[in-house]
Amino acid sequence: MSELAGRVALVTGASRGIGAEIARELARGGARVVVGFRSQREAAEAVVAEIAAAGGEAWAVQGDVATAPGCRALVDAALAQGGPHVLVNNAGITDDRLTLQMTDEQFTRVLDTNTTGTFRMSRMALEHMFRSRDPLGSAIVNVVSVSGLKGNRGQANYAASKAAVLAMTRVMAQEMGRRKVRVNAVAPGFVETDMVADVDPRVTEEALRMIPLRRLGHPTDVAPAVRFLAGPGAAWITGQCLVIDGGMTA
């Protein structure tokens, strides 16, 4: 299948975990992919090499989405390739602490990356998408979290950041629909990534008891949904959030 052939996709936080698998999946769909990373250049270049080995085309580009220059570097890389036609805002961090113990810096740092970074990336990409009047339309897919839907102890900052991104998703979908730009979100549950590996094992055990499918997710459970929302099969879907959590929030 090559439903994304001729499209340029920009994926932030794509050096590992869910972001890396999304980059691979979009490349399998025919997109040329900008693999955004903050610090793990070697890992990002490994993703690029995998895509190239499979016959695709990709570039590793450094940019910290918590800063305006970092966002600009990523978007400019996509512009240089004729895009972005697809933006996946995946980059995110956690810094868990109970509310009474959480510092202002911990709260702000998470929102700077997860929320403000998503806003800046989207605004910069939308400047191009708005002007391009692409007859096939453009797509933004924001990776949020079930934490932004139901809340988890110790994640006031993370849950707030993801709930805010979900709200932005709906606003941007309203604003950009007339320009054929679709804006949607996916909300993964407990997925086996480095981020979840750092969670207290007791939290993971409790999550497993709450998941009807009785397993943690894998990045390969999330990436196909992003590919769908980025492609023509979702041509009449915007402002929505697809929850991918094994039934935990059902």
Side-chain angles (χ1 to χ4, degrees):
M1 295 178 65
S2 56
E3 77 277 12
L4 297 175
R7 318 297 277 168
V8 175
L10 167 55
V11 184
T12 67
S15 63
R16 59 181 182 169
I18 292 173
E21 188 58 35
I22 290 171
R24 297 185 195 102
E25 185 68 26
L26 295 181
R28 285 191 283 267
R32 296 180 293 137
V33 184
V34 175
V35 177
F37 70 96
R38 182 184 62 178
S39 59
Q40 297 192 341
R41 179 178 296 278
E42 187 174 333
E45 290 177 346
V47 174
V48 169
E50 289 181 55
I51 291 172
E57 192 172 3
W59 304 267
V61 180
Q62 185 173 25
D64 183 354
V65 302
T67 70
C71 293
R72 176 51 63 191
L74 293 168
V75 174
D76 283 352
L79 288 170
Q81 302 301 327
H85 305 98
V86 175
L87 168 64
V88 181
N89 285 307
N90 170 74
I93 62 171
T94 58
D95 194 350
D96 295 354
R97 192 73 64 88
L98 293 176
T99 301
L100 284 173
Q101 300 169 340
M102 187 175 292
T103 66
D104 288 355
E105 191 278 332
Q106 285 176 302
F107 189 86
T108 302
R109 190 170 75 90
V110 170
L111 266 72
D112 282 347
T113 295
N114 299 2
T115 306
T116 307
T118 294
F119 170 74
R120 285 197 190 106
M121 288 295 304
S122 299
R123 184 180 60 191
M124 291 179 186
L126 284 169
E127 290 172 357
H128 166 74
M129 294 174 176
F130 188 88
R131 291 193 304 266
S132 71
R133 296 179 181 270
D134 187 343
L136 296 178
S138 302
I140 294 176
V141 183
N142 295 320
V143 180
V144 294
S145 169
V146 294
S147 292
L149 304 177
K150 65 180 293 291
N152 286 320
R153 292 178 70 253
Q155 291 194 321
N157 49 6
Y158 186 73
S161 73
K162 293 301 187 177
V165 170
L166 183 54
M168 284 195 297
T169 298
R170 292 167 176 153
V171 170
M172 291 178 186
Q174 291 283 340
E175 293 177 347
M176 299 305 299
R178 65 191 179 92
R179 293 287 181 161
K180 294 186 177 181
V181 179
R182 296 177 295 102
V183 188
N184 291 291
V186 295
F190 275 77
V191 177
E192 293 181 282
T193 63
D194 291 347
M195 185 180 291
V196 169
D198 292 334
V199 172
D200 187 323
R202 292 172 296 182
V203 175
T204 303
E205 290 171 9
E206 177 63 24
L208 279 170
R209 286 193 289 270
M210 297 170 60
I211 298 173
L213 292 182
R214 291 296 187 268
R215 69 172 177 87
L216 297 183
H218 188 271
T220 55
D221 294 314
V222 179
V226 175
R227 174 175 167 178
F228 166 69
L229 290 173
W236 210 45
I237 300 175
T238 195
Q240 302 304 308
C241 178
L242 179 55
V243 179
I244 308 168
D245 67 352
M248 186 173 71
T249 57

